[in-house]
Amino acid sequence: MEFLYTYETLKLEFPLAEPEEARYVILGVPFDGTTSYKAGARFGPTLIRQATLNLESYVLDYDLDIAELPIADIGDIAVVAGDPRKTADRVRETIEELKRVNPNAIPILLGGEHSQTLGAVEALRPKSYVVFDAHLDLRDSYEDNPYNHACVARRIAELGVREAMFGIRSGTREEVEFAEKGGIRWVHARDYDFDSFVELVEPLPEPVYLSVDIDVFDLAIVPTTGTPEAGGLGFWEVIEAIEWLVENKRIAGFDIMEVAGETLGNPTALTAAKLLFYFIGAMEKMGKL
Amino acid sequence: MEFLYTYETLKLEFPLAEPEEARYVILGVPFDGTTSYKAGARFGPTLIRQATLNLESYVLDYDLDIAELPIADIGDIAVVAGDPRKTADRVRETIEELKRVNPNAIPILLGGEHSQTLGAVEALRPKSYVVFDAHLDLRDSYEDNPYNHACVARRIAELGVREAMFGIRSGTREEVEFAEKGGIRWVHARDYDFDSFVELVEPLPEPVYLSVDIDVFDLAIVPTTGTPEAGGLGFWEVIEAIEWLVENKRIAGFDIMEVAGETLGNPTALTAAKLLFYFIGAMEKMGKL
Amino acid sequence: MEFLYTYETLKLEFPLAEPEEARYVILGVPFDGTTSYKAGARFGPTLIRQATLNLESYVLDYDLDIAELPIADIGDIAVVAGDPRKTADRVRETIEELKRVNPNAIPILLGGEHSQTLGAVEALRPKSYVVFDAHLDLRDSYEDNPYNHACVARRIAELGVREAMFGIRSGTREEVEFAEKGGIRWVHARDYDFDSFVELVEPLPEPVYLSVDIDVFDLAIVPTTGTPEAGGLGFWEVIEAIEWLVENKRIAGFDIMEVAGETLGNPTALTAAKLLFYFIGAMEKMGKL
Amino acid sequence: MEFLYTYETLKLEFPLAEPEEARYVILGVPFDGTTSYKAGARFGPTLIRQATLNLESYVLDYDLDIAELPIADIGDIAVVAGDPRKTADRVRETIEELKRVNPNAIPILLGGEHSQTLGAVEALRPKSYVVFDAHLDLRDSYEDNPYNHACVARRIAELGVREAMFGIRSGTREEVEFAEKGGIRWVHARDYDFDSFVELVEPLPEPVYLSVDIDVFDLAIVPTTGTPEAGGLGFWEVIEAIEWLVENKRIAGFDIMEVAGETLGNPTALTAAKLLFYFIGAMEKMGKL
Amino acid sequence: MEFLYTYETLKLEFPLAEPEEARYVILGVPFDGTTSYKAGARFGPTLIRQATLNLESYVLDYDLDIAELPIADIGDIAVVAGDPRKTADRVRETIEELKRVNPNAIPILLGGEHSQTLGAVEALRPKSYVVFDAHLDLRDSYEDNPYNHACVARRIAELGVREAMFGIRSGTREEVEFAEKGGIRWVHARDYDFDSFVELVEPLPEPVYLSVDIDVFDLAIVPTTGTPEAGGLGFWEVIEAIEWLVENKRIAGFDIMEVAGETLGNPTALTAAKLLFYFIGAMEKMGKL
Amino acid sequence: MEFLYTYETLKLEFPLAEPEEARYVILGVPFDGTTSYKAGARFGPTLIRQATLNLESYVLDYDLDIAELPIADIGDIAVVAGDPRKTADRVRETIEELKRVNPNAIPILLGGEHSQTLGAVEALRPKSYVVFDAHLDLRDSYEDNPYNHACVARRIAELGVREAMFGIRSGTREEVEFAEKGGIRWVHARDYDFDSFVELVEPLPEPVYLSVDIDVFDLAIVPTTGTPEAGGLGFWEVIEAIEWLVENKRIAGFDIMEVAGETLGNPTALTAAKLLFYFIGAMEKMGKL
Ligand SMILES: [Mn+2]
Ligand SMILES: [Mn+2]
Ligand SMILES: [Mn+2]
Ligand SMILES: [Mn+2]
Ligand SMILES: [Mn+2]
Ligand SMILES: [Mn+2]
Ligand SMILES: [Mn+2]
Ligand SMILES: [Mn+2]
Ligand SMILES: [Mn+2]
Ligand SMILES: [Mn+2]
Ligand SMILES: [Mn+2]
Ligand SMILES: [Mn+2]
């Protein structure tokens, strides 16, 4: 199957399914035009895929081999240089194309800037948005651009999607107030625990779009991301939350965003790759597919 | 003096002049929203200024101390995230502000993407554009954006500015044909020598805007730039050309663009800093001020 | 206001106050002449200031905007190459100059070697010295130099200042014995918890000088510091202690030392920058100003 | 004393003993011919030794100076390029040479690929093998080579040595089944705690060979190792287990493997060096020598 | 078409031909098991392909678009860990498979260790072997392995292939003597010029296999290769020789070997990518196809 | 033989001679306390020695095996932290110790800061000082320290030693005037050629001390040194000058200084190592021993 806006790139190494028949469809978004501090998220999709070479496809925790599942990899979006909105349009249209031929497919974005999550959410129209992130991303506009990565959760909230946020440790007064007015609940990284996750997510309507801005992890684990922050979550904290989520809520789509850097096998990329396999594994083993 | 779009940042360390009285006015443009390969030109202005700490302000070749000259540093442009056109508008307006209070000042841009040169040229309206670059930058549009760094020489040519290019070793058939039709002459890096420079530049009308895309140098010298290319020019080749140029042509403005990387004192930044001091030194010593 | 020994450098980006009116006055000390293992603390002050660009000035935890506070940045000390004592003299004299015109200002050193804390303590004459550090720094002399960074706590103890140390995981028998004889109490990183902090700090007389040798954190968080050590503290552990300290004790001065590396946005620098904002935020919100 | 297959290299810096009289004998194995993801373990022995320069020889926790103990360093094995089996033969023969002249010496391998542990185990013939590792290393063959680092625990099990594994978070179905059939017990990194360690190790027969594949630690602590994995153990978790082990079991040999990278003082090397000093310190203080 | 020993990986980004119809067939060999100094050539094929994204497919010098040519990319060889001979067997067999279905195809190896060139030469049986290399590679055995990369030219000479070597600046007395006895002529990097190339290559019988060990270039251009050497050739020196060679001799095969490193867009990879496009361009424009 | 101030460290790997019988005696000086821009020369001696592992001991150009010569390596000087004068005293005393037992030995310093050359010159009392350097190093004092690396040539001139300098491209007006008054001749890197070298060196009295500040090379070749400068010399230019020098003048001592960085096998270290072997080889082959 050909898509209008994607091109082939490095792919996952095990035998892959066609998009029409896959349960999971991977799409790279090598966009970083509005990154605010450290550049380089453009290499995120390549870095994550290459980092899967470091991993066994077998996930010990679930006694399950990722390589035996119907997964497709449709390559990367051809970005519109510097324009997060037009690039997100291509993400949206690509996912719409996909859903027309395979309505049950779970799209998985590998990014690239968090701004691109908007395109996926527009295509999938989930009822709720659950996000792990160091940042609220609720600004109305940032550096004169309403489609900047720092505004993505605001744009999504404006679509009527309910939101819950975890691992937050950065924001502005304006964002905090917007969250408060809009009923958007979030948990500070200092206060995060499993119970806080369940408490906020349980009441959310299905289906849920799950987004992991990789900067939710401590900067020791993810030193190369756009805006690394000290004091983040640990790897298993996020995995345990995802396990609960896929067991208890129907999932519309998933993404791992803001992976950056130039070095193959860097910690950020390796963490993202392992997270990808855990998400797929957990979906298969305990997910409400 | 306050400018609308600039903010303070790291500055040159020696005593600086006010913009109203300076002969040279430095302006950083930390924009890299449309970089096509390696990101990170956003840190270019900071890296260049910090790299000047490695240099003597005294330039041996001219028996002249840069620190004793009237140089202003008006900080960096507040970029419009991802939008090269709007950011270049701010460059243009800032230089216009400057020229109103100090018509004789020579603006010096430190970048940042080559796309931003357009703003300077629009403000200064030189008759000719002399550029050292590995790339023709004559595309009509790139990644759907006509203000991408790969189009800057085309936009400038469309303003009626005459152009000559040196150190070229990358382009497309479309660009070569555009150059041919438009009478834009260029010298391949393989063929470059001092005589080829003089031959093409001599007939150009004054004043001249001089732009150095740092990727004109061999990638061994400038490993961290947006699109490094093997087979580039050497340091003294460019300096000798600049010496001839400032001696023989009136200069409207100057820039050093596409400096990137994250490491203080990296070779690209050190080369750019030294080039900056040589430009100012040569202007003083032999320039048609 | 002009200081004898400082020069301008990269500064915090938000509007800054004059030293005479500031509540917090930042001073960089780019000295690393006696570093024992990894060099590069000279770039510490620049790296920390640049890393603040990654941060919101608003601190979520305190609902408070750092950028709205009266903070001055008086630049960096001109170091005496290789001489920690003479450089520390300049730190002392600069802080004395400052205190003459603004007796209530809280000086904040950004380093640079830990040896330079001595100058600040000599100027401020606190009753107690609370330090987070992987090392005891209680040697009488190191590499034939009594003003080496490994001796700073000893020199301070000899001034009659009471000391308490946290996160320690490296020292010599001689240092342990000196601590024992001198009543200097310390907590090993393995044994550290909030209660151990309160227990040791509670009885200390005011005012207190607070010093954070960045190597107190785990080497995963701060890989580029002079002597990184495995098994260190986490980010929130230090923040919680600081919150208690500023709430319960009057603070004479503060520093973040031993930040090193050459890369903008490295984890050590980002951690230091965030720590800086938390210190100021906590002082404002809960401090005994 | 001369060994057939070793040559001199960088050594520990304090006064060293002769192999005949030492209680601990260090041997480097700069082999990385079959590394599966990130190369560079060949520099492991040099990196670890150089990283000891960052450490006090005095170990605070045990009030004991490593530099005062009889430790020998017999240099590095001359590897057989690309051949893990022949290189491991040299490891085995070198340890046999050593044991002939000093039967009580505890050999300590610094690696280098985990494949080389086989040579040490063959020479020392322990009853049990306790290993900290992210990986099961129980494959029958990997990339067509039965002596690949991913097979070392299988080869050791085939010698009749009892095994227990900790910090595991990667394996294949085949390996899990082999472990189950062979009575090899292991603890997942998610489930690891001190009690789980004691429970599995207590019943094991003596003497015990202890192996630390450095990748057992979280990839934030050890970013440069052959196959870094997120979600690993912390420094003190491993130290506490080692303390219990040396107090309760007789130790036949010890190794720290898979240290890699090219940078002096990198976190992986620093962690390995500190682990080395803790092992020796704990052996002296609480070990069943 | 399926090959026995290859698997898919990152590919060149423009539309590619099937191996049966291609004029040029690219094959990666991610082997570095016997590298003698710096590891990491395993990432060479991925790094080179990814670096082509930095290049225009249009080669200015030849007015020719690489993307319009029939080029196939058959992925990477599945290596036999640590075994250069068995891996080279797979290279040989894969090229034999290819030549059976497409006898006119020019195979292009991207490596990976120089040892793998042997497999290509065994499959193609050229009359002559022209190599750019800093090293003679004429050892009988190295680190006990006759198929080490340092022996490849010797193994090829033993097949009766005539040899000429350029850019040499490292070897042993044994190798020099072997070259002398065997009539293998070589030019030291200090003495290299275009005439020396033509003089040695002109008398060689056709077809010629051309091999570029990337370390022939100065270590400033190629800092990440297995054994970088100061004093190497420049980019255009090698290109000019290749232009002459393809114009005057029939080419059996080509390779670019010993590209290493972990960083996307590193100078070694960028140089190799540009060299690849020049080789193909020159073959088309002036080659004896 | 024991020296008062040296300790063992990584040594050259081939069989070494005792200092009493050696023709060449290597001494590391891991001092970088007064480095002005980039720190890290402390690792220079280790980096250079480790980089020799990349080299054949056989030097092609001279048909001579370095490993067969009587070379001693007496380790590194124990530095006095931050004090260039006291550390240089130890260099002086160590060389004096050496010369008492072996008056014909040629000491070879591996540095470490250029400031340490003073100690060697004081011990050896040559008639002339020939130096390759980007900098004049003729300041009277720098950062308040007369023994700073930027003053070393001045201190040496004050001893009555005649001086000639090559590759210069940085200095101050004060230094230029001092050179002029003192009859110190130097050649700018732009003007350097072999003839300029011979012209200035020929009249100098013997014996000659030869010093290579590694920053004389272009910053592309030596990116990690204290003060890298664009526009430097090439590798063979320096080798050819050394060959002439050793053939025509008696050599008292030699050094390679300012090698820095933290990465094994970095270009600066590799260049220094190769230079070391060429110096020894040329001395043997054509030197006036
Ligand atoms: Mn986000
Ligand atoms: Mn974020
Ligand atoms: Mn350009
Ligand atoms: Mn360009
Ligand atoms: Mn300290
Ligand atoms: Mn410390
Ligand atoms: Mn293992
Ligand atoms: Mn492992
Ligand atoms: Mn080679
Ligand atoms: Mn080779
Ligand atoms: Mn110098
Ligand atoms: Mn010097």
Side-chain angles (χ1 to χ4, degrees), chain A residues 127-129 136 138 153 157 160-166 175-187 199-201 203-205:
Chain A
K127 289 277 194 302
S128 305
Y129 175 70
L136 287 168
L138 288 170
V161 179
R162 297 273 302 279
E163 299 192 336
M165 300 176 169
F166 303 94
E175 288 176 281
V176 172
E177 288 166 1
F178 180 86
E180 194 142 25
K181 268 183 254 160
I184 297 170
R185 298 182 65 188
W186 54 273
V187 182
E199 185 193 330
L200 263 64
V201 174
L204 293 181

Side-chain angles (χ1 to χ4, degrees), chain A residues 114 133 137 149 213:
Chain A
H114 212 171
D133 199 330
D137 288 353
H149 65 103
D213 181 330

